[in-house]
Amino acid sequence: MELTYLGFILLSAMAHSFYNFLVHKSGGNRLFLLLMFVVAAIAATIVYISNYEPFVLNFKIAAIIYAASLFYILYQVFVSKSYELGEISRLYPLSVLSPVLVPVWAVLFLHERISMGLIIGIILSTAGAMIMKQKSLRNMVFSDLFTKRNLYAGAGYALTASLMYSFGSVLDKSSVGLFNLIPYLWILLSSMTLNLLIYTILFERKVFADITHINYTRLTLAGITAYISFFTFRTALQHVAVSVAVPIRTSSIIFALLLGSILLHEKITAIKLIGISTIIIGIVIIQIST
């Protein structure tokens, strides 16, 4: 792999964890999330206008992209809900488990064969997610995995976010290579912004009252960082196999752990390190086996 594409993947991982850190910093505020995507969509529009080229978008492709954007927005909503309840260093790893789920959908819906390596990877990643939600290895209480008590708060939302992202990524993969990346991202991010606006109006209209309490410097930084994360990863995917790119991008878990420790003073505990390491090993095995 060329170092340029490795750099793009690592930059995407850092950007992804950083804008999630900023969302966490806002307390998971859904208005912050909405405006962040407005900024990202504006950035995508500016880039597209600066590099304008005509493209053909038929109804089928438009429907797939819009469906992918809907699942991606549900991912963001559930992630932000989880950030209202717990630490980013504990919850973020649970929200990026989609590489565990995508092969499962391939087996169930595309009738692909499942290998022993795939089974091992799924077991390891699932075990790592469970470990992340424990106080210690000595006193594991799996009956509390989806409760809202103490360290377990927000974990259910984070895991649901991974489920939503896995659906979005399957749809995304089926359309991302059909035309140029720049207009594709413009359509995808604009659709995500529209979906989030509709969701906010229908279900969380009260958040618009927070308009005067938003940190707009942080918001702008988050939106631009989100666009960078989307752009750099998909640029790398045009030249690097998914089986190589996805495991490297899971380094975002490490960046999230460091951000939580350095900027939010969250403790890096042995249980977090063991859980994160197990998740990453499991995802790497999954990608090697698919």
Side-chain angles (χ1 to χ4, degrees):
M1 183 199 311
E2 291 185 23
L3 289 178
T4 300
Y5 302 130
L6 174 61
F8 275 141
I9 297 170
L10 291 175
L11 178 58
S12 176
M14 287 188 286
H16 191 271
S17 60
F18 185 64
Y19 82 73
N20 271 275
F21 163 77
L22 294 175
V23 173
H24 180 276
K25 190 75 172 174
S26 74
N29 186 302
R30 239 73 74 213
L31 181 60
F32 183 95
L33 186 66
L34 170 60
L35 296 178
M36 180 188 79
F37 274 100
V38 169
V39 172
I42 290 172
T45 303
I46 293 172
V47 172
Y48 173 61
I49 292 173
S50 301
N51 298 270
Y52 177 77
E53 64 176 72
F55 62 92
V56 177
L57 180 65
N58 62 41
F59 178 80
K60 181 180 178 180
I61 296 174
I64 292 174
I65 296 174
Y66 188 80
S69 73
L70 177 60
F71 282 115
Y72 282 152
I73 282 304
L74 289 173
Y75 161 80
Q76 293 292 343
V77 168
F78 283 115
V79 167
S80 67
K81 284 180 177 291
S82 74
Y83 290 161
E84 292 177 346
L85 301 171
E87 298 178 349
I88 186 172
S89 58
R90 189 176 297 275
L91 295 171
Y92 182 81
L94 304 181
S95 72
V96 291
L97 288 176
S98 60
V100 178
L101 299 169
V102 171
V104 176
W105 307 146
V107 170
L108 292 177
F109 301 115
L110 302 178
H111 308 294
E112 295 183 3
R113 297 182 63 181
I114 189 167
S115 65
M116 182 57 65
L118 191 60
I119 294 172
I120 293 172
I122 291 172
I123 291 173
L124 282 174
S125 298
T126 303
M130 291 180 176
I131 290 171
M132 286 292 297
K133 296 159 68 177
Q134 304 300 317
K135 284 186 177 181
S136 69
L137 288 174
R138 291 182 180 179
N139 302 304
M140 288 193 176
V141 186
F142 293 112
S143 61
D144 286 342
L145 287 179
F146 287 91
T147 67
K148 294 184 178 180
R149 296 196 294 271
N150 302 323
L151 295 176
Y152 306 104
Y157 284 133
L159 289 171
T160 304
S162 282
L163 178 64
M164 295 297 104
Y165 194 92
S166 70
F167 292 145
S169 65
V170 169
L171 294 166
D172 193 5
K173 284 181 182 180
S174 68
S175 57
V176 68
L178 297 179
F179 52 89
N180 189 280
L181 179 62
I182 290 177
Y184 178 83
L185 279 180
W186 173 57
I187 297 168
L188 180 65
L189 286 167
S190 297
S191 298
M192 289 177 69
T193 304
L194 176 60
N195 280 326
L196 188 52
L197 176 61
I198 293 171
Y199 170 86
T200 306
I201 292 173
L202 291 178
F203 301 108
E204 301 200 33
R205 196 178 308 170
K206 62 182 180 180
V207 301
F208 288 106
D210 297 332
I211 191 72
T212 58
H213 300 105
I214 296 292
N215 184 320
Y216 286 94
T217 300
R218 184 184 300 161
L219 172 70
T220 303
L221 181 59
I224 293 173
T225 305
Y227 179 76
I228 291 171
S229 178
F230 274 78
F231 183 82
T232 51
F233 186 64
R234 283 162 179 80
T235 298
L237 277 181
Q238 294 179 332
H239 304 277
V240 179
V242 174
S243 59
V244 176
V246 173
I248 296 174
R249 196 171 187 262
T250 58
S251 60
S252 62
I253 295 175
I254 300 171
F255 296 129
L257 182 70
L258 293 174
L259 286 170
S261 174
I262 296 170
L263 299 179
L264 297 178
H265 307 293
E266 297 174 357
K267 293 182 179 179
I268 300 179
T269 62
I271 197 78
K272 288 181 183 178
L273 292 175
I274 293 172
I276 287 172
S277 299
T278 306
I279 288 171
I280 292 175
I281 291 170
I283 290 174
V284 170
I285 291 174
I286 287 171
Q287 297 304 320
I288 291 173
S289 304
T290 54

